[in-house]
Amino acid sequence: MTLELPESPSTGLARRQLLRGALAGALPALGLPAAAAPGPLVVGGLPVTCNLTLPVACMARATSNKAAGSKAFEFEYSKYNGWPEIKESLMTGRIQAAYMLAPLVMDLADKRIPVKIVSLGHRSGAVIMVRTDSPYKKFKDLAGKRIAIPSRFAVDFLFLRKMLAAEGMSPKDIQIIEMPPPDMPAALFAKAVDGYCTGEPFGAAAQKAGYAKPLRMTRDEWRNYICCVLTVREELIKENRPLVQNLVDHVQGAGNWLDQQAANREKAIQIAAGRKFFNQDPNILRFVMENPTDRVTYGDLRMIRAEFDELMQLSVEAGTLKAPVSYEKYVDESFVKAAKVAPIPI
């Protein structure tokens, strides 16, 4: 009988490293791959039309890859239903890129989470909805009422604050409830809330169903409104700048393409409505695109420092940011400056 002595931790570690090295050297000889091929870049997003450039960019890149027989760059959309979940995934590195709320990125960067905004995703596209059978016509009518917002870091909340301030009110005059956007139409229908402020198509869904109406729209009140921004982790920038640049090129290309003609928006509706992306009724997405046609816009995705500074200052006033955050801390505009707008062959 052979007596096996327990190995020391250092001896065991050395032995495991030796075995791994021997196995790695043997893999090619056995006809097995030495390492798995890198998969597509997963980009998180919400099923909102403020994120519509993302499904278009993913589909355009996949179409180009198929035509060229290449997978040099690949993007994959990952759907989230709420901002807390997408924030957690980006913070922990579960995903390396996502469409995020601009003030939330400012806060993360200020807390030394290594993230940077590299492109806009849209302009406008937020609404404040109330029931059609309600007597509410101005914000003073909402005093004491329950109003849902996606997050206190959402620019929708800043929009709501702007509208309240215009009538001499503040958020203290209403009851603020944070709620995932997909839940808002049903909550309004059930009278669990008296109104809600969010991005489309969750305003359009209730409006098209006939039980809600817009009280205010950003297209009328805040034309340069930006909310959802393409955000990536800094290690991705360091490790694969060409991949990030190609993603930005396609997002910028998708924005231009969406605003070029109605036929392009119809194609985008059919893409985004599918199960791979938003998994929504295309008629609701079409309602957003047509009522009116500039309810959400995508063609101007410039990174303008003054606009981010305004958002930052409004967020400080709202208390969602404790102090001002410098532009350079949360933005890397080099990709937009170097962008070569990608064709959208779909």
Side-chain angles (χ1 to χ4, degrees):
M1 181 177 72
T2 303
L3 181 63
E4 292 284 349
L5 296 175
E7 60 188 17
S8 70
S10 58
T11 303
L13 177 60
R15 182 174 296 172
R16 289 192 296 273
Q17 289 173 335
L18 180 63
L19 288 171
R20 280 199 297 267
L23 181 59
L27 285 173
L30 294 171
L32 299 173
L41 173 64
V42 175
V43 188
L46 264 61
V48 294
T49 49
C50 295
N51 286 195
L52 188 57
T53 44
L54 181 53
V56 172
C58 290
M59 183 60 73
R61 182 69 258 182
T63 302
S64 296
N65 286 349
K66 186 175 181 180
S70 168
K71 292 187 177 181
F73 300 113
E74 289 184 279
F75 314 129
E76 180 182 306
Y77 174 83
S78 180
K79 186 175 80 170
Y80 288 77
N81 286 323
W83 295 114
E85 295 83 5
I86 203 167
K87 168 191 168 185
E88 183 67 22
S89 288
L90 197 62
M91 283 180 64
T92 59
R94 197 174 305 135
I95 57 175
Q96 292 187 295
Y99 273 38
M100 287 277 285
L101 299 168
L104 188 51
V105 182
M106 296 175 191
D107 183 61
L108 291 178
D110 194 47
K111 291 176 177 175
R112 299 186 178 181
I113 304 298
V115 291
K116 283 285 197 296
I117 296 170
V118 293
S119 176
L120 300 190
H122 72 106
R123 286 188 183 275
S124 197
V127 289
I128 300 172
M129 305 296 295
V130 296
R131 289 180 60 93
T132 51
D133 60 5
S134 75
Y136 313 139
K137 294 183 178 179
K138 55 186 184 295
F139 278 85
K140 288 191 180 295
D141 299 331
L142 297 178
K145 304 301 180 183
R146 294 161 297 181
I147 309 299
I149 61 172
S151 164
R152 290 183 184 270
F153 285 98
V155 187
D156 311 297
F157 178 46
L158 302 182
F159 175 44
L160 177 61
R161 285 176 57 88
K162 269 178 168 276
M163 296 299 96
L164 290 169
E167 296 193 42
M169 299 174 69
S170 80
K172 293 181 180 179
D173 295 316
I174 59 176
Q175 299 177 47
I176 299 287
I177 300 170
E178 293 189 34
M179 180 181 296
D183 297 342
M184 292 181 181
L188 185 68
F189 182 80
K191 298 185 178 180
V193 297
D194 301 292
Y196 61 85
C197 181
T198 192
E200 296 291 6
F202 302 110
Q207 185 181 355
K208 189 174 186 301
Y211 63 86
K213 62 184 178 182
L215 185 61
R216 291 289 189 278
M217 303 172 74
T218 50
R219 68 176 291 275
D220 300 319
E221 309 290 345
W222 192 356
R223 291 295 292 182
N224 65 343
Y225 173 99
I226 54 176
C227 182
C228 298
V229 290
L230 175 59
T231 307
V232 301
R233 289 184 61 91
E234 289 186 34
E235 56 261 36
L236 180 63
I237 294 175
K238 293 173 183 175
E239 293 167 5
N240 202 337
R241 284 191 67 90
L243 179 62
V244 177
Q245 185 65 65
N246 196 263
L247 176 59
V248 171
D249 291 350
H250 277 80
V251 168
Q252 295 276 322
N256 285 350
W257 180 83
L258 278 162
D259 278 5
Q260 279 175 357
Q261 54 182 330
N264 290 350
R265 289 196 169 202
E266 180 59 33
K267 289 179 183 178
I269 289 165
Q270 297 303 323
I271 290 167
R275 290 188 177 182
K276 277 184 65 176
F277 297 108
F278 293 177
N279 194 24
Q280 291 173 342
D281 182 351
N283 292 314
I284 294 175
L285 295 175
R286 190 174 297 112
F287 188 92
V288 176
M289 296 292 105
E290 296 177 352
N291 295 277
T293 55
D294 62 347
R295 193 165 180 145
V296 192
T297 61
Y298 306 95
D300 180 11
L301 300 183
R302 293 173 297 156
M303 305 267 277
I304 301 174
R305 180 171 186 152
E307 294 176 355
F308 281 102
D309 286 345
E310 179 189 17
L311 284 184
M312 184 268 296
Q313 188 57 46
L314 289 170
S315 298
V316 171
E317 292 170 5
T320 49
L321 293 178
K322 293 181 180 179
V325 184
S326 67
Y327 181 73
E328 292 77 13
K329 199 167 192 176
Y330 62 88
V331 170
D332 184 340
E333 58 184 22
S334 65
F335 295 98
V336 167
K337 287 182 176 179
K340 295 179 180 178
V341 175
I344 306 298
I346 54 178

